Amino acid sequence: MSTPSIHCLKPSPLHLPSGIPGSPGRQRRHTLPANEFRCLTPEDAAGVFEIEREAFISVSGNCPLNLDEVRHFLTLCPELSLGWFVEGRLVAFIIGSLWDEERLTQESLTLHRPGGRTAHLHALAVHRSFRQQGKGSVLLWRYLQHAGGQPAVRRAVLMCEDALVPFYQRFGFHPAGPCAVVVGSLTFTEMHCSLRGHAALRRNSDR
């Protein structure tokens, strides 16, 4: 199987909705060259897993993806990932893959369906030293613009615990009901988001 080409994102101004804080890089212009957003590669997997393990195990005791699964997705579909690097250090990431059914299933946790039109967001995490700075919000908004700019991708889906539903609603996600996926004793709400509006924002920011 051939490996898809990796799409690097050129720097572009962020158009964030009201209520979402700007990144420190936008507030202090002299730090902009130190901030880089790019798709991840298998070589980034160890750094991704280190952040993911600390972020998720400390809260829920489970990681959405193990290290082999991180490498798996970064090999098959790196264009559906996005990392935020500060002075060359990974500080936040999103890992995604394509899915081809209306709702998520247990299989969707580990599969990439190249013919799918749905970007399934498996994990979003921020390094502990960079939390409470709005980085997760900025990264998610930029990711949705990036995914919406890919012609085959029409929508984004994810599953989250009930406490996080209001956070994702700020970005255009809406609850689709209880998720069929269960991890141990944890249950989730499935969230859907149309990417049409985000694609338009991406095109405008590229002008």
Side-chain angles (χ1 to χ4, degrees), residues 58-141:
S58 63
V59 175
S60 65
N62 294 283
C63 277
L65 302 171
N66 62 39
L67 180 56
D68 287 340
E69 290 166 344
V70 171
R71 289 198 182 102
H72 172 73
F73 287 124
L74 294 185
T75 298
L76 292 181
C77 47
E79 71 281 4
L80 291 167
S81 68
L82 189 62
W84 187 343
F85 293 80
V86 175
E87 297 181 349
R89 177 187 182 187
L90 179 66
V91 302
F93 72 86
I94 293 174
I95 301 288
S97 66
L98 288 179
W99 185 239
D100 59 358
E101 297 183 23
E102 177 64 23
R103 300 292 297 268
L104 296 176
T105 68
Q106 207 72 31
E107 285 187 324
S108 66
L109 298 183
T110 56
L111 294 182
H112 168 60
R113 297 272 178 80
R117 294 186 174 273
T118 296
H120 173 202
L121 282 64
H122 294 272
L124 184 164
V126 178
H127 190 281
R128 61 183 177 274
S129 300
F130 293 85
R131 291 176 195 152
Q132 306 302 318
Q133 299 176 21
K135 279 186 164 53
S137 296
V138 173
L139 181 64
L140 178 56
W141 193 254

Side-chain angles (χ1 to χ4, degrees), residues 179-195:
C179 186
V181 178
V182 176
V183 179
S185 62
L186 297 176
T187 59
F188 305 93
T189 296
E190 187 166 325
M191 305 289 288
H192 293 183
C193 177
S194 170
L195 293 178

Side-chain angles (χ1 to χ4, degrees), residues 145 148-149 195-207:
Q145 291 186 45
L195 293 178
R196 292 176 183 175
H198 293 281
L201 285 173
R202 175 65 190 275
R203 288 194 297 270
N204 291 336
S205 69
D206 287 343
R207 291 176 182 173

Side-chain angles (χ1 to χ4, degrees), residues 27-41:
Q27 297 165 0
R28 299 189 295 273
R29 292 185 180 275
H30 66 277
T31 66
L32 277 173
N35 288 269
E36 177 190 11
F37 295 86
R38 67 166 173 82
C39 297
L40 299 166
T41 71

